[in-house]
Amino acid sequence: MSAETPAASGQFTRRRLQFRAWRGQRPFWAGLFIMFGGLPIAYFPYANLRIGHLTLAMATTAGAGSLIIGVLLVVLGVSLWFQKHIRVFAGVAAILLALVSIPVSNLGGFLIGFLFALVGGAMAVSWVPGEPPEEELRADEGVHGGAPEGAFPESTVSGPEEGAAATGEPNDLSGTSPANGANGRHSAG
């Protein structure tokens, strides 16, 4: 395949647009921040800093706790990418794990992991799925989508003989009418 082949450019563009669409349907950045927060929290307690011939070990007695917190944050970040419906749980869990990492894991990975996990958790809690874009009405279509005038008669309710009262149905639209068996409670289904 030569560099002049146009299929390679089209393939890259198509994959990039697919990734962009996938990323836009889920809390991608929240998951990425949470994962970036988990890495320093899990890494620093096991890291060795070398200064010349001197080795400085930052291992603490809570190294296992740091590893568990870091791995849980990475798992929560990946879960946000593939299971967007758990965004509130994962966000709150990430915030709590970030707060627990301060005393357990070298000030939350020297505040780097703590801040990334805290911001990522807040982003996950606040993320909501977007609504698909609605098609705009063209100016020549009017209110009824381009139907000829007179096709939809103008309806005005002039008295109680028309509408729901004429059919004998109750005019309660809240779903709490005793006639529908709800007894004042809203139906969850």
Side-chain angles (χ1 to χ4, degrees):
M1 184 180 234
S2 69
E4 299 165 355
T5 305
S9 174
Q11 181 78 6
F12 176 75
T13 302
R14 187 172 59 86
R15 294 287 183 199
R16 184 180 58 83
L17 291 175
Q18 284 176 343
F19 175 70
R20 185 182 206 183
W22 177 82
R23 187 184 69 202
Q25 298 172 353
R26 60 201 74 249
F28 176 80
W29 294 107
L32 191 67
F33 271 61
I34 291 173
M35 283 189 286
F36 280 161
L39 294 177
I41 290 173
Y43 174 74
F44 286 136
Y46 295 100
N48 292 327
L49 178 64
R50 294 177 190 243
I51 303 173
H53 293 292
L54 179 67
T55 302
L56 178 64
M58 292 184 272
T60 63
T61 57
S66 299
L67 182 64
I68 290 171
I69 290 172
V71 168
L72 283 175
L73 284 171
V74 170
V75 167
L76 285 173
V78 171
S79 296
L80 277 172
W81 283 359
F82 297 105
Q83 297 178 3
K84 60 185 174 186
H85 60 278
I86 65 162
R87 66 186 185 276
V88 175
F89 168 75
V92 170
I95 290 171
L96 291 175
L97 286 171
L99 290 172
V100 168
S101 74
I102 290 176
V104 171
S105 175
N106 296 333
L107 291 174
F110 298 117
L111 295 179
I112 298 168
F114 165 72
L115 290 175
F116 270 115
L118 196 68
V119 169
M123 288 170 66
V125 168
S126 66
W127 184 85
V128 291
E131 295 179 11
E134 296 179 11
E135 294 183 27
E136 296 181 16
L137 293 176
R138 294 188 311 200
D140 62 340
E141 286 185 357
V143 178
H144 298 293
E149 289 189 31
F152 295 99
E154 298 296 326
S155 62
T156 57
V157 178
S158 61
E161 66 275 354
E162 295 180 10
T167 60
E169 296 177 15
N171 198 11
D172 183 18
L173 300 177
S174 66
T176 60
S177 171
N180 64 9
N183 295 330
R185 298 184 309 263
H186 290 283
S187 174

